[in-house]
Amino acid sequence: MVVGAGAAGLFAALCAAAEGARVALVSARPLAETASYWAQGGLAAALAVDDSPALHLEDTLAAGRGLVRRSAAEVLCVEAPERFRDLERLGVRFDADRHGRLALGLEGGHRVRRVAHAGGSATGRRILRELSADVASHDAIEVLEGRRATALLLADGRCAGVQIDAGERRLARAVVLATGGAAALWSRTTNPPGSYGSGLLLARAAGAGLADLEFVQFHPTAVTGVKGREGFLISEAVRGEGATLHDGSGERFTDELRPRDEVARAIVATMRARGEPCVWLDMRAVDPGRFPNVVAALREAGLDPARERVPVAPASHYVMGGIACDLHGRTAVGGLLAIGECACTGLHGANRLASNSLSECFVFGRRAALSGLGEPVPAHRAAPAGDPPSPPSRTTREATWQHAGLERDAEGLERLLGDPHPLARLVAASALARCESRGAHQRTDFPAPDPALDDRHSVVSPDGVVSVETWA
Ligand SMILES: Cc1cc2nc3c(=O)[nH]c(=O)nc-3n(C[C@H](O)[C@H](O)[C@H](O)COP(=O)(O)OP(=O)(O)OC[C@H]3O[C@@H](n4cnc5c(N)ncnc54)[C@H](O)[C@@H]3O)c2cc1C
C-alpha cells in the first residue's frame, strides 16, 4: 500500500508492481496539488562528462553543514543517474540543447551543471504526467483517488495496513508513506496547502520516530506583493542562468549562487537594514523561453519579468526532517516505510542541496518498494493507531512562521510549544533542543555552530523526548 501520489509514491508503486506486487495507491488530493507537480528546476544527478557521483557527494555534504548522513548521500549520488535513465525509459523527455545533448542546469551549491529538467521549468509536471499515466494503466495498481489515509493499522506492534477516510480498513504487507513535506505548516510558503505533514503524524501515532524537524529550508526567491501569486516560487535555476538580486536602490548584495540558507539570510538582512518588504529579482537577461511557465505565471498576474524586476522574499519551502528511516525507507515500526519529502534518511543534513529532493524520491522510492516486498503477510485483525491528523489553523501557521522562521530564539520557541497543533509543538521542541545555529536552523541566542553536534540528528521519540543521535 502506498500513501501519496507525488513523485515518490507514483514511482514506488511502479517499482513494486514491476516486481510482481499488487499495489493500492491512496491519494488525498488531485495531482496538480502535489509539490512534485510544482517542481520547476529539475533533478540532480551526475550525468555530465565533467561530473561524478563523488563530486555530487562533496557538494551535498558541503550544503548540509556537517549533518548529512554520508551513507544516505552516497546512495543518492551513486544511484541518481540510473533512476534518471529509468525515467527516460518510462517516457519522460528531458530538455536537450541545440546539439541534441542533454541540457543540464546550474543551481546554488552545485559546482557543475547537473540538474536535468523538462519543459524548461515544468519538470515536475512532465514527470508526473508520465508516471501517473503508467500507474493508471497498470493492471496490478489500484488507485484510490480523493481518499485520505486517516490512521495506520497496527497488529502485534507491526504496521498491517491503512484506515481510509471515515473507517474503511485495508490490510497490506507493507505501507509506504509518501505523503510529502510539511512546509505549509508555515504561513508564508511555496508549498501546496496539503503539505502540512499528515504522514509524519500518522507515523508518529503508530510509534515511529521523527527526526531533524528543526531544519526547514526557506527558499530565497518566492514572489511577494503580487496579487494571486503570493509565495509563487521562482526557481533557483533562473539565478543559475544569470538572474541577479537587488535591493530597493538597485544594488546587488549577495552572490546569488551561494547555498539557499545563505542567500535567504542575505535577503532578510537586506530587507531589515533597508526597512523594505522585499528585494528584487532581475531576470531580464535570462531567455524567457527557458522558463516558460514561470514567465507565463508572472505575466498572468500582470508582471512582465522580461521588462521589470520581480519582488521576492524568502518563504518556507522544504522540510529536511521527517519520519526517521534507514537507507531502505524502513522506520522503527515493522512494515512501515517512508519515502520522499516525508522521510528523513539524514540525506539533506541541515540544508538540502537544490534539486536533490526529486532524485531522492526516485532513488529511495525504489529502494523502499523493493524492501517492502519482503514483509510478511499481515495479521487479519488490526486496529487504528491514533486520531486522524488535522490541518493547522491560520493562527498556528502564523505562529510557526513567527516563532520558528528563518531566525528563532528560546522565547519564541517556548511560546510555540503551547500551540494546539502537535506538529508545530514538535518543531518547537526540536528547535529548542538544538542550541546552535547550523544551516537552515538559525538561533539568535546561539548564533554559532556547536562542533559537538556535528553528525548528530535530533530524534523525537514516540513519548515526545528529543534526543541527539549519530546515524551510521
Ligand atoms: C514550488 C516547488 C518547486 C520545487 N522544485 C523542485 C525542484 O526543481 N527540484 C527538486 O528536487 N525539488 C523541488 N521541490 C521539492 C520537491 O518537489 C518535493 O520535495 C518532492 O516533489 C516531494 O515529493 P513527494 O512525492 O514526497 O510528495 P508530494 O509531491 O508532495 O506528494 C504528496 C502526496 O501525498 C498525498 N497525501 C498527503 N497526505 C495524505 C494522506 N493522509 N492520505 C492520502 N494521501 C495523502 C498528497 O495528496 C500527494 O499526492 C519543489 C517544491 C515546490 C513546492
Side-chain angles (χ1 to χ4, degrees):
M1 186 121 196
V2 178
V3 184
L10 290 169
F11 194 71
L14 287 170
C15 291
E19 297 297 317
R22 283 190 304 116
V23 183
L25 178 69
V26 198
S27 169
R29 309 287 305 167
L31 205 61
E33 288 180 30
T34 60
S36 302
Y37 193 83
W38 292 9
Q40 296 180 355
L43 61 108
L47 297 161
V49 283
D50 60 347
D51 200 3
S52 67
L55 210 56
H56 187 182
L57 176 65
E58 277 178 30
D59 289 350
T60 302
L61 294 173
R65 302 283 198 276
L67 201 79
V68 170
R69 184 189 200 170
R70 190 183 176 96
S71 55
E74 274 168 358
V75 164
L76 180 96
C77 299
V78 168
E79 296 182 12
E82 196 45 42
R83 298 293 78 79
F84 166 83
R85 284 180 207 105
D86 288 347
L87 292 173
E88 283 193 317
R89 280 191 282 271
L90 287 169
V92 181
R93 291 184 53 200
F94 288 93
D95 295 338
D97 65 17
R98 61 177 186 280
H99 306 292
R101 289 179 305 232
L102 180 67
L104 292 168
L106 182 66
E107 296 190 6
H110 293 275
R111 280 173 298 169
V112 297
R113 288 186 170 266
R114 69 163 68 95
V115 181
H117 45 86
S121 46
T123 311
R125 191 180 305 187
R126 292 281 177 97
I127 294 176
L128 255 62
R129 213 167 54 190
E130 212 57 59
L131 297 185
S132 57
D134 289 352
V135 161
S137 62
H138 204 298
D139 288 342
I141 304 178
E142 178 190 7
V143 180
L144 304 166
E145 220 172 13
R147 312 287 304 278
R148 179 169 292 278
T150 47
L152 296 172
L153 300 176
L154 290 183
D156 304 325
R158 290 181 52 82
C159 184
V162 174
Q163 173 179 282
I164 300 169
D165 294 333
E168 183 190 340
R169 293 184 185 181
R170 291 271 189 139
L171 297 178
R173 271 175 193 264
V175 174
V176 181
L177 289 176
T179 49
L185 195 61
W186 282 255
S187 54
R188 184 169 155 68
T189 183
T190 63
N191 275 223
S195 297
Y196 64 85
S198 70
L200 277 62
L201 294 169
L202 292 173
R204 178 171 162 73
L210 303 182
D212 291 346
L213 295 181
E214 65 275 37
F215 293 106
V216 58
Q217 187 165 68
F218 293 87
H219 198 288
T221 51
V223 171
T224 187
V226 176
K227 202 158 177 268
R229 286 289 176 268
E230 197 59 43
F232 178 76
L233 179 109
I234 302 193
S235 166
E236 191 148 353
V238 174
R239 279 174 279 135
E241 296 303 323
T244 47
L245 285 164
H246 301 259
D247 66 19
S249 69
E251 290 296 316
R252 283 176 73 182
F253 55 88
T254 185
D255 168 1
E256 287 82 358
L257 288 178
R258 285 152 72 198
R260 279 189 186 165
D261 58 328
E262 293 181 27
V263 179
R265 279 200 300 281
I267 291 175
V268 168
T270 301
M271 284 163 52
R272 195 173 289 150
R274 298 182 55 85
E276 291 169 350
C278 64
V279 296
W280 300 87
L281 183 70
D282 188 344
M283 49 189 285
R284 287 176 292 185
V286 177
D287 171 12
R290 167 72 177 80
F291 301 100
N293 61 333
V294 171
V295 172
L298 292 172
R299 283 185 178 153
E300 267 170 36
L303 199 151
D304 186 355
R307 296 154 56 102
E308 55 196 316
R309 290 177 176 161
V310 183
V312 293
S316 113
H317 181 57
Y318 183 89
V319 175
M320 270 72 77
I323 305 160
C325 61
D326 70 8
L327 305 186
H328 299 275
R330 291 179 293 228
T331 69
V333 180
L336 179 64
L337 302 107
I339 54 172
E341 195 171 333
C342 72
C344 179
T345 59
L347 155 68
H348 305 295
N351 190 28
R352 171 184 68 125
L353 182 66
S355 286
N356 266 357
S357 41
L358 276 182
S359 311
E360 174 188 24
C361 288
F362 305 119
V363 166
F364 290 94
R366 179 169 187 277
R367 286 181 149 241
L370 300 188
S371 121
L373 300 176
E375 298 290 343
V377 176
H380 282 293
R381 298 180 72 78
D387 296 324
S390 44
S393 66
R394 178 88 213 154
T395 316
T396 288
R397 297 181 65 225
E398 293 289 356
T400 313
W401 176 260
Q402 196 183 342
H403 301 307
L406 266 97
E407 292 177 337
R408 309 92 190 261
D409 62 19
E411 196 188 330
L413 292 169
E414 271 159 15
R415 220 171 282 170
L416 193 59
L417 274 184
D419 194 90
H421 198 273
L423 198 55
R425 293 198 299 274
L426 293 174
V427 168
S430 305
L432 260 176
R434 186 171 285 277
C435 296
E436 64 160 355
S437 288
R438 181 187 294 268
H441 171 67
Q442 293 294 315
R443 291 270 305 252
T444 50
D445 44 356
F446 293 97
D450 176 356
L453 293 175
D454 282 359
D455 286 321
R456 311 269 284 174
H457 298 269
S458 333
V459 181
V460 189
S461 68
D463 49 10
V465 177
V466 182
S467 58
V468 283
E469 294 179 2
T470 304
W471 291 350

